[in-house]
Amino acid sequence: QVQLVESGGGLVQPGGSLRLSCAASGFTLDYYAIGWFRQAPGKEREGVSCISSSDGSTYYADSVKGRFTISRDNAKNTVYLQMNSLKPEDTAVYYCAASYGLGPKRYDLASYDYWGQGTQVTVSS
């Protein structure tokens, strides 16, 4: 059974850090680009970061650049999102997704083949 499972979310104070994990089962992440997305209440799902399958190139939305880091460990079939200097506006449900053959539209939701169930991140004092 193909599955992506996110973990690592929680409640953190502004300025704090969290590391999200996205573990795959039923398929090998090596050949897939992985994207992290988030959706806040009443807002559309937006792309946060993406890592390519070929050369490991990484991409970030302007809102998280310099604070978030995406990485992959193919041996563990897992992708991570390290989130530092968190802000209240980072509060959302975070999803990871896998795309085989991702094109130039890195955050096009329809380009992703598999999605996780999401993990809640709440940044609040």
Side-chain angles (χ1 to χ4, degrees), residues 12-87:
V12 64
Q13 292 187 342
S17 298
L18 284 173
R19 188 177 80 156
L20 305 184
S21 298
C22 172
S25 59
F27 70 107
T28 302
L29 281 181
D30 301 37
Y31 306 111
Y32 289 78
I34 304 299
W36 281 99
F37 296 79
R38 66 186 181 187
Q39 188 166 19
K43 294 189 176 181
E44 292 187 352
R45 192 169 298 190
E46 63 173 356
V48 173
S49 182
C50 175
I51 186 166
S52 73
S53 60
S54 54
D55 60 2
S57 295
T58 57
Y59 306 91
Y60 300 94
D62 288 343
S63 58
V64 306
K65 203 170 292 183
R67 300 188 298 122
F68 290 12
T69 303
I70 190 171
S71 61
R72 63 193 304 156
D73 185 337
N74 289 340
K76 294 184 177 180
N77 220 25
T78 300
V79 172
Y80 304 97
L81 185 68
Q82 177 67 45
M83 306 187 297
N84 299 329
S85 302
L86 282 161
K87 305 175 181 180

Side-chain angles (χ1 to χ4, degrees), residues 4 14 35 71 75 81 86-87 90-91 94-95 97 102-103 110 112 123 125:
L4 287 172
S71 61
L81 185 68
L86 282 161
K87 305 175 181 180
D90 295 318
T91 296
Y94 283 71
Y95 301 87
L102 182 64
Y112 285 82
V123 184
S125 54

